[in-house]
Amino acid sequence: MSIKAAKASDRTGEADLHGRPAVTMRRRGACPALAAPMPTGDGFLVRLRPAGGALTLSQFASLARSAAAHGNGILEITARGNLQIRGLRAETVGQLVADIDVAGITVPDGPAIQTSPLHGIDPEEISNPAAMEMALRSTLHDLLASPRLAPKLSLIVDGGGAFGLSALSADIRIVAQSGADWLVAINGDGEAAMPVAIGSAEAAISAVGEILSLLATLGQGRRARDIDPALLRTRFPAMDGIRSIPPRAAGMPLAGSHRLEDGKTILGVRPEFGQMRSSDLIALLDLAQARGATAIRLAPGRGFFFIGLSADTVPAIQIAAARHGFSTQPGENSEHIAACAGAGACGSAFYETRALARRLIAVAPALFDGSLTLHLSGCAKGCAHARPALTLTGSAEGYGLILNGLAADQPDERIAGGRIDFAIERLARSIEDNKDAGESTAACLTRLGATGVSKALRQE
């Protein structure tokens, strides 16, 4: 949402009895945008995506200072590359919005439109998705602003390139093709989404408008998966003739340094488990700016890129990043863990998720071959990961272990609080002992099933 629009709708115009601006609360399950922050266990949470996912280092530092002044000092980068600020209070939300405005940060109206973090600078890019995003917002402004669209409606504009977005799922995908064409597909990631139209940028924008109109007609809360295929074919009669374009293979990893054609180096950085303290972030940003970094690009995978570095400055920034709790090396086990804020940062959590994550990395390395995600959820809400995973849900009684599901699902096994390290170490050892040659951890876990896992956990 644009900052001015956020002020208008959050204003809450009317103040409360103490003269403070009222806050429009967002229901759980909706996106906690600036105009409607979501109450959580540690206060209000807001999520924002700056225009193009881009910030100057000064802007990012301003956000970090504001998070410390008006929240609990915790910032998070989500799996989709959006920024979250935690621990706000009703009376400080408006102050955060004012700080964002003063910093010159633009947060567009309507649903977030995901673009590659390297848009405009990636030499392998087919078309610049930032230009397509601007055209979509300009041409379809009224549709994108419709209150009848689902709060979590997701759009992706994938211009191709070294850091593609094929792994991300979306309601609507607009994907650059050779010859200046764009493919429009719905409901899925790069492999599973259903193609509905292909053509010029103008034709693609028109197709997106048709889909948005269908969704608005269906009513608030409906997603692309809810569109009747027969109705879809009446709007897009040529869709069955579109040849599905295979998605590009996974490109560069987020963490690590990468050389661009102009000789500049970009450095991918991941806060540990996507979470960072404002003081650590500010210290790293100050060093990077002093070493010549010119911009920040938020990235899917819970991290961001420093843009504009020279190669000789990278080692010092990597050392400083590690000192402040950031990873700059690809392939670390923490990449495969989705951990919520946890106890101490969120009042709803029953355990310290990040502390447990560090212990499990040490005692159960067999879990982290990259074939599965370990979701550490402090409670049954499952804020950190919305897809099925190997999940540990906290409760007053201890932990619920879910082999392939969500935090709110019925546990396959319950584990007493004091035995969690032992239990997971036992599980990892059982996987190592039972793996067939070439078998992944995820495949072995599936083969063992609930019965095999229960047996492993009960062995002494």
Side-chain angles (χ1 to χ4, degrees), residues 272-273 275 337-345 350-363 368 374 376 392 399 420-421:
E272 189 179 41
F273 314 120
Q275 301 156 4
I337 298 178
C340 70
F350 288 94
Y351 68 97
E352 295 183 358
T353 54
R354 286 172 286 174
L356 178 60
R358 296 184 193 104
R359 298 201 306 270
L360 296 187
I361 287 172
V363 303
F368 305 105
L374 174 62
L376 301 182
L392 274 177
Y399 300 84
I420 185 61
D421 292 53

Side-chain angles (χ1 to χ4, degrees), residues 255 270 322 326-337 361 368:
R270 295 181 71 253
F326 297 84
S327 169
T328 60
Q329 301 296 332
E332 294 196 2
N333 287 342
S334 61
E335 293 181 14
H336 309 301
I337 298 178
I361 287 172
F368 305 105

Side-chain angles (χ1 to χ4, degrees), residues 94-383:
Q95 296 166 3
L96 171 71
V97 172
D99 287 352
I100 291 172
D101 201 25
V102 168
I105 299 169
T106 300
V107 184
D109 293 299
I113 299 179
Q114 198 87 31
T115 56
S116 167
L118 303 184
H119 61 78
I121 60 174
D122 186 341
E124 297 182 32
E125 195 170 61
I126 300 171
S127 295
N128 188 345
M132 172 59 85
E133 178 186 356
M134 290 178 62
L136 284 165
R137 292 195 183 279
S138 174
T139 306
L140 306 177
H141 177 271
D142 290 345
L143 275 172
L144 288 168
S146 172
R148 294 182 63 80
L149 294 178
K152 284 193 172 183
L153 185 76
S154 55
L155 294 87
I156 284 176
V157 182
D158 190 345
F163 196 100
L165 302 177
S166 61
L168 290 183
S169 183
D171 289 283
I172 304 173
R173 309 183 68 84
I174 307 99
V175 184
Q177 309 290 294
S178 58
D181 279 347
W182 293 83
L183 174 74
V184 179
I186 66 168
N187 188 31
D189 58 19
E191 185 173 355
M194 177 186 299
V196 298
I198 192 169
S200 65
E202 293 77 11
I205 292 169
S206 177
V208 173
E210 287 283 341
I211 296 165
L212 293 174
S213 295
L214 279 173
L215 290 170
T217 300
L218 288 173
Q220 189 174 23
R222 297 301 184 93
R223 307 289 292 273
R225 60 178 175 263
D226 299 316
I227 300 176
D228 186 321
L231 178 59
L232 196 63
R233 284 178 172 81
T234 64
R235 298 290 186 98
F236 301 100
M239 61 178 283
D240 289 331
I242 298 174
R243 183 176 61 87
S244 180
I245 310 297
R248 291 170 59 97
M252 69 166 66
L254 167 56
S257 61
H258 313 279
R259 192 76 176 267
L260 296 180
E261 283 187 343
D262 64 1
K264 292 294 185 181
T265 298
I266 60 173
L267 177 63
V269 176
R270 295 181 71 253
E272 189 179 41
F273 314 120
Q275 301 156 4
M276 51 198 162
R277 292 279 179 182
S278 57
S279 56
D280 290 318
L281 176 59
I282 291 168
L284 182 60
L285 291 171
D286 286 347
L287 174 64
Q289 188 157 28
R291 296 300 178 107
T294 57
I296 293 291
R297 298 286 183 89
L298 301 175
R302 307 181 193 277
F304 59 89
F305 287 105
F306 283 118
I307 307 298
L309 296 169
S310 57
D312 61 338
T313 64
V314 168
I317 298 175
Q318 289 177 312
I319 292 170
R323 188 167 63 246
H324 290 290
F326 297 84
S327 169
T328 60
Q329 301 296 332
E332 294 196 2
N333 287 342
S334 61
E335 293 181 14
H336 309 301
I337 298 178
C340 70
C346 177
S348 297
F350 288 94
Y351 68 97
E352 295 183 358
T353 54
R354 286 172 286 174
L356 178 60
R358 296 184 193 104
R359 298 201 306 270
L360 296 187
I361 287 172
V363 303
L367 292 178
F368 305 105
D369 66 349
S371 64
L372 56 74
T373 295
L374 174 62
H375 178 193
L376 301 182
S377 185
C379 70
K381 296 174 186 174
C383 299

Side-chain angles (χ1 to χ4, degrees), residues 51-106:
L55 294 164
T56 66
L57 276 76
S58 296
Q59 287 174 332
F60 205 5
S62 293
L63 276 175
R65 286 190 290 270
S66 191
H70 308 309
N72 60 11
I74 294 178
L75 300 93
E76 298 173 326
I77 302 178
T78 71
R80 301 182 75 86
N82 297 320
L83 189 65
Q84 294 186 161
I85 297 174
R86 304 192 67 94
L88 296 160
R89 302 183 304 280
E91 64 270 23
T92 63
V93 172
Q95 296 166 3
L96 171 71
V97 172
D99 287 352
I100 291 172
D101 201 25
V102 168
I105 299 169
T106 300

